[in-house]
Amino acid sequence: MTHSGDGNGVTFSVVICAYTDKRWDDVHAAVASVRAQRRAPTEIIVVVDHNPALHARLRRSLTGVTVVENREGRGLSGGKNTGVAVATGDVVAFLDDDAVAAPGWLEAFARHYDDPAVAGVGGLTLPMWPGSTPSSALVTAPVPETTGTRPGWFPEEFDWTVGCTYRGMRPGLIRNLMGGNASFRREMFPVAGGFATGIGRSHHKRPLGCEETEFCIRLRQRSPESELVYDDQAVIWHRVPRERARFSYFRERCYAEGLSKALVTQSVGSEDGLASERSHALKTLPRGAVKGAGDAVRGDLAGLGRASAITIGLAWTAWGYAVGLAAARRQARRDRRAVARGRTA
């Protein structure tokens, strides 16, 4: 696979999913960062998730932007599917509503689409911790002056809990892209079947995820010749609110990820569904725990917190997976009994 070209013939539709007016400034900063791209998109689409008042406000506020309501069930999957249905570009790029893209974001994506085997490209997502540049300032300058302060106990191996690129990811071919900083050829959505509405963020109180993981695996199962690429030159910054920088959220997010992974494996099988996770758990996390302990010996006492967080995060993710898998199996048995009763009747 090569990516030496510049993708001159490829057009981009950028989809941003919004759901709450609490992120009013964030959404406007996200849109402004897309408008500031060196490679201009064909269109910007903001999908509002079952919030008529916010939809009306954004339609008035975001001139030159296509603002539509989510036409499917509540949640991120339905919003993304709606955005894809509206999009007209060759490639659909997704940006979180609380993120801003560096000026070369789309330009970095485009280079890879010269290769017809590339079905999707994702980028590097960096965290903006509490104390970072406010969204109102990012409207005019999409590169933050400060990215805030990471909690000392927070291990980089678990940055996925706040929607960011985590330690262990390497540029090149990858199993799945991260949903808030990803792009796909529009023609691949009919092949893969769109994002599954039973997986990922919705009205559920738990911080579930993995809708993009399941989509990417399903895409490659149905189109094995297709490639997904991670390029760390396609940079965005993702805001981490104060409540998500707390250990209580970290632990809850790990448990919810386990629940989500159980749903993914029910959909695409455990071999594909857990391939990357096994490597991360068996290689990256032990190295991180040892490094944290070593940092503590060298005088950085927060290293003990990072080592402990890695251990606890892995344990709570595994627990969530076990609980989710047991629930899925119980449901499967109930479904089989219901089918059997129907045949008897």
Side-chain angles (χ1 to χ4, degrees):
M1 182 193 65
T2 61
H3 54 274
S4 58
D6 58 9
N8 276 332
V10 176
T11 59
F12 283 86
S13 298
V14 177
V15 173
I16 301 170
C17 295
Y19 72 99
T20 175
D21 54 8
K22 293 179 180 178
R23 293 184 177 179
W24 180 262
D25 289 342
D26 289 327
V27 172
H28 284 77
V31 169
S33 74
V34 177
R35 284 175 164 159
Q37 292 296 298
R38 291 197 293 264
R39 185 188 184 94
T42 296
E43 59 193 348
I44 304 172
I45 302 166
V46 174
V47 183
V48 181
D49 190 23
H50 296 267
N51 188 334
L54 177 61
H55 173 252
R57 286 187 69 199
L58 286 175
R59 284 195 66 180
R60 291 192 298 268
S61 175
L62 294 174
T63 57
V65 174
T66 301
V67 182
V68 298
E69 294 183 278
N70 180 3
R71 299 170 182 172
E72 297 190 5
R74 185 185 298 273
L76 194 53
S77 290
K80 288 183 175 180
N81 288 339
T82 297
V84 171
V86 173
T88 61
D90 299 321
V91 174
V92 181
F94 297 99
L95 179 67
D96 276 345
D97 63 340
D98 53 354
V100 290
W105 178 57
L106 291 180
E107 192 174 65
F109 281 166
R111 288 196 296 266
H112 296 274
Y113 287 109
D114 283 337
D115 185 345
V118 173
V121 186
L124 173 66
T125 302
L126 300 173
M128 290 194 296
W129 297 100
S132 63
T133 303
S135 296
S136 57
L138 294 172
V139 171
T140 54
V143 178
E145 291 185 4
T146 173
T147 55
T149 303
R150 172 190 291 269
W153 60 266
F154 205 113
E156 292 183 23
E157 291 81 0
F158 277 82
D159 276 6
W160 56 264
T161 62
V162 291
C164 296
T165 303
Y166 52 91
R167 178 177 287 160
M169 291 183 67
R170 297 287 184 270
L173 298 180
I174 196 168
R175 182 196 66 176
N176 66 273
L177 311 179
M178 300 192 72
N181 182 6
S183 64
F184 300 92
R185 294 188 192 272
R186 186 161 56 92
E187 66 196 45
M188 299 309 300
F189 289 97
V191 175
F195 294 93
T197 55
I199 298 176
R201 296 292 176 105
S202 65
H203 61 282
H204 199 286
K205 291 183 179 180
R206 289 196 183 280
L208 300 172
C210 292
E211 70 281 338
E212 76 285 345
T213 300
E214 193 270 349
F215 172 81
C216 289
I217 295 173
R218 182 159 31 87
L219 187 158
R220 297 204 65 244
Q221 287 179 341
R222 297 181 182 183
S223 179
E225 70 281 3
S226 295
E227 296 178 343
L228 301 175
V229 180
Y230 163 53
D231 185 346
D232 60 2
Q233 299 302 302
V235 178
I236 72 167
W237 290 271
H238 186 265
R239 187 168 301 285
V240 182
R242 195 168 301 279
E243 60 271 16
R244 294 190 181 184
R246 295 171 179 160
F247 186 75
S248 57
Y249 177 83
F250 171 85
R251 188 177 56 193
E252 182 183 11
R253 179 69 184 88
C254 289
Y255 179 76
E257 183 74 1
L259 295 175
S260 300
K261 281 292 188 295
L263 293 174
V264 170
T265 57
Q266 289 296 300
S267 172
V268 300
S270 60
E271 183 175 352
D272 289 337
L274 295 177
S276 296
E277 288 74 13
R278 290 191 188 97
S279 176
H280 191 63
L282 295 175
K283 297 179 181 179
T284 305
L285 296 188
R287 285 198 296 264
V290 171
K291 182 179 183 300
D295 291 342
V297 171
R298 290 185 289 272
D300 179 10
L301 296 182
L304 287 178
R306 293 190 291 275
S308 298
I310 288 173
T311 304
I312 294 170
L314 178 59
W316 279 67
T317 305
W319 178 31
Y321 178 74
V323 170
L325 196 60
R329 288 172 175 170
R330 287 195 300 270
Q331 183 60 50
R333 287 195 295 269
R334 286 194 292 268
D335 292 343
R336 287 195 295 269
R337 287 196 295 267
V339 170
R341 286 195 297 269
R343 287 174 179 171
T344 302

mmCIF file of all heavy atoms in Angstrom, residues 182-199:
data_model
loop_
_atom_site.group_PDB
_atom_site.id
_atom_site.type_symbol
_atom_site.label_atom_id
_atom_site.label_comp_id
_atom_site.label_asym_id
_atom_site.label_seq_id
_atom_site.Cartn_x
_atom_site.Cartn_y
_atom_site.Cartn_z
ATOM 1 N N ALA A 182 -12.317 9.788 12.055
ATOM 2 C CA ALA A 182 -12.284 8.704 11.072
ATOM 3 C C ALA A 182 -12.916 9.157 9.767
ATOM 4 O O ALA A 182 -13.717 10.091 9.734
ATOM 5 C CB ALA A 182 -13.025 7.476 11.607
ATOM 6 N N SER A 183 -12.554 8.468 8.695
ATOM 7 C CA SER A 183 -13.160 8.724 7.394
ATOM 8 C C SER A 183 -13.293 7.405 6.652
ATOM 9 O O SER A 183 -12.482 6.489 6.837
ATOM 10 C CB SER A 183 -12.305 9.710 6.581
ATOM 11 O OG SER A 183 -11.025 9.151 6.292
ATOM 12 N N PHE A 184 -14.330 7.316 5.812
ATOM 13 C CA PHE A 184 -14.581 6.108 5.025
ATOM 14 C C PHE A 184 -15.072 6.514 3.638
ATOM 15 O O PHE A 184 -15.775 7.524 3.492
ATOM 16 C CB PHE A 184 -15.654 5.229 5.668
ATOM 17 C CG PHE A 184 -15.333 4.753 7.055
ATOM 18 C CD1 PHE A 184 -15.751 5.484 8.168
ATOM 19 C CD2 PHE A 184 -14.617 3.573 7.252
ATOM 20 C CE1 PHE A 184 -15.461 5.053 9.452
ATOM 21 C CE2 PHE A 184 -14.324 3.139 8.535
ATOM 22 C CZ PHE A 184 -14.749 3.879 9.635
ATOM 23 N N ARG A 185 -14.711 5.710 2.635
ATOM 24 C CA ARG A 185 -15.322 5.909 1.327
ATOM 25 C C ARG A 185 -16.835 5.723 1.468
ATOM 26 O O ARG A 185 -17.294 4.745 2.069
ATOM 27 C CB ARG A 185 -14.763 4.911 0.316
ATOM 28 C CG ARG A 185 -13.294 5.090 -0.014
ATOM 29 C CD ARG A 185 -12.896 4.173 -1.161
ATOM 30 N NE ARG A 185 -11.460 4.115 -1.327
ATOM 31 C CZ ARG A 185 -10.750 4.961 -2.076
ATOM 32 N NH1 ARG A 185 -11.360 5.941 -2.731
ATOM 33 N NH2 ARG A 185 -9.433 4.832 -2.172
ATOM 34 N N ARG A 186 -17.590 6.617 0.883
ATOM 35 C CA ARG A 186 -19.048 6.548 1.026
ATOM 36 C C ARG A 186 -19.605 5.263 0.433
ATOM 37 O O ARG A 186 -20.601 4.718 0.924
ATOM 38 C CB ARG A 186 -19.690 7.778 0.374
ATOM 39 C CG ARG A 186 -21.196 7.894 0.582
ATOM 40 C CD ARG A 186 -21.673 9.317 0.325
ATOM 41 N NE ARG A 186 -21.315 9.785 -0.993
ATOM 42 C CZ ARG A 186 -22.108 9.675 -2.077
ATOM 43 N NH1 ARG A 186 -23.292 9.094 -1.979
ATOM 44 N NH2 ARG A 186 -21.716 10.167 -3.247
ATOM 45 N N GLU A 187 -18.943 4.746 -0.581
ATOM 46 C CA GLU A 187 -19.421 3.525 -1.239
ATOM 47 C C GLU A 187 -19.315 2.292 -0.352
ATOM 48 O O GLU A 187 -19.902 1.257 -0.647
ATOM 49 C CB GLU A 187 -18.609 3.291 -2.514
ATOM 50 C CG GLU A 187 -17.146 2.986 -2.254
ATOM 51 C CD GLU A 187 -16.262 3.122 -3.470
ATOM 52 O OE1 GLU A 187 -16.407 4.132 -4.200
ATOM 53 O OE2 GLU A 187 -15.427 2.226 -3.695
ATOM 54 N N MET A 188 -18.549 2.393 0.767
ATOM 55 C CA MET A 188 -18.386 1.238 1.638
ATOM 56 C C MET A 188 -19.538 1.059 2.611
ATOM 57 O O MET A 188 -19.701 -0.021 3.189
ATOM 58 C CB MET A 188 -17.070 1.359 2.426
ATOM 59 C CG MET A 188 -15.813 1.411 1.569
ATOM 60 S SD MET A 188 -15.714 0.061 0.349
ATOM 61 C CE MET A 188 -15.734 -1.380 1.410
ATOM 62 N N PHE A 189 -20.346 2.078 2.820
ATOM 63 C CA PHE A 189 -21.430 1.953 3.797
ATOM 64 C C PHE A 189 -22.500 0.949 3.365
ATOM 65 O O PHE A 189 -22.959 0.161 4.200
ATOM 66 C CB PHE A 189 -22.031 3.324 4.097
ATOM 67 C CG PHE A 189 -21.097 4.198 4.898
ATOM 68 C CD1 PHE A 189 -20.292 5.137 4.280
ATOM 69 C CD2 PHE A 189 -20.996 4.051 6.270
ATOM 70 C CE1 PHE A 189 -19.406 5.922 4.994
ATOM 71 C CE2 PHE A 189 -20.120 4.835 7.014
ATOM 72 C CZ PHE A 189 -19.322 5.767 6.372
ATOM 73 N N PRO A 190 -22.910 0.917 2.108
ATOM 74 C CA PRO A 190 -23.833 -0.144 1.702
ATOM 75 C C PRO A 190 -23.217 -1.533 1.828
ATOM 76 O O PRO A 190 -23.927 -2.508 2.090
ATOM 77 C CB PRO A 190 -24.150 0.201 0.237
ATOM 78 C CG PRO A 190 -23.849 1.645 0.095
ATOM 79 C CD PRO A 190 -22.701 1.898 1.015
ATOM 80 N N VAL A 191 -21.909 -1.632 1.655
ATOM 81 C CA VAL A 191 -21.233 -2.921 1.782
ATOM 82 C C VAL A 191 -21.272 -3.399 3.230
ATOM 83 O O VAL A 191 -21.612 -4.552 3.513
ATOM 84 C CB VAL A 191 -19.769 -2.817 1.295
ATOM 85 C CG1 VAL A 191 -19.019 -4.125 1.539
ATOM 86 C CG2 VAL A 191 -19.728 -2.430 -0.172
ATOM 87 N N ALA A 192 -20.911 -2.513 4.152
ATOM 88 C CA ALA A 192 -20.855 -2.886 5.565
ATOM 89 C C ALA A 192 -22.237 -2.898 6.216
ATOM 90 O O ALA A 192 -22.467 -3.604 7.193
ATOM 91 C CB ALA A 192 -19.940 -1.934 6.322
ATOM 92 N N GLY A 193 -23.166 -2.104 5.694
ATOM 93 C CA GLY A 193 -24.506 -2.069 6.268
ATOM 94 C C GLY A 193 -24.748 -0.961 7.260
ATOM 95 O O GLY A 193 -25.766 -0.951 7.943
ATOM 96 N N GLY A 194 -23.841 -0.014 7.395
ATOM 97 C CA GLY A 194 -24.050 1.105 8.313
ATOM 98 C C GLY A 194 -23.695 0.742 9.741
ATOM 99 O O GLY A 194 -23.312 -0.393 10.062
ATOM 100 N N PHE A 195 -23.813 1.732 10.640
ATOM 101 C CA PHE A 195 -23.494 1.533 12.049
ATOM 102 C C PHE A 195 -24.662 0.847 12.753
ATOM 103 O O PHE A 195 -25.819 1.205 12.541
ATOM 104 C CB PHE A 195 -23.184 2.865 12.725
ATOM 105 C CG PHE A 195 -21.936 3.517 12.217
ATOM 106 C CD1 PHE A 195 -21.983 4.442 11.178
ATOM 107 C CD2 PHE A 195 -20.698 3.188 12.750
ATOM 108 C CE1 PHE A 195 -20.832 5.031 10.692
ATOM 109 C CE2 PHE A 195 -19.535 3.782 12.272
ATOM 110 C CZ PHE A 195 -19.598 4.705 11.240
ATOM 111 N N ALA A 196 -24.352 -0.131 13.608
ATOM 112 C CA ALA A 196 -25.386 -0.884 14.318
ATOM 113 C C ALA A 196 -25.983 -0.029 15.430
ATOM 114 O O ALA A 196 -25.270 0.494 16.282
ATOM 115 C CB ALA A 196 -24.792 -2.164 14.905
ATOM 116 N N THR A 197 -27.300 0.107 15.427
ATOM 117 C CA THR A 197 -27.952 0.989 16.404
ATOM 118 C C THR A 197 -28.058 0.362 17.795
ATOM 119 O O THR A 197 -28.353 1.058 18.753
ATOM 120 C CB THR A 197 -29.362 1.363 15.922
ATOM 121 O OG1 THR A 197 -30.107 0.165 15.647
ATOM 122 C CG2 THR A 197 -29.299 2.202 14.654
ATOM 123 N N GLY A 198 -27.779 -0.925 17.926
ATOM 124 C CA GLY A 198 -27.827 -1.553 19.244
ATOM 125 C C GLY A 198 -26.516 -1.493 19.990
ATOM 126 O O GLY A 198 -26.394 -2.041 21.087
ATOM 127 N N ILE A 199 -25.502 -0.845 19.393
ATOM 128 C CA ILE A 199 -24.172 -0.764 19.994
ATOM 129 C C ILE A 199 -23.752 0.698 20.065
ATOM 130 O O ILE A 199 -24.027 1.470 19.163
ATOM 131 C CB ILE A 199 -23.149 -1.562 19.163
ATOM 132 C CG1 ILE A 199 -23.528 -3.046 19.125
ATOM 133 C CG2 ILE A 199 -21.731 -1.410 19.717
ATOM 134 C CD1 ILE A 199 -22.627 -3.882 18.240
#
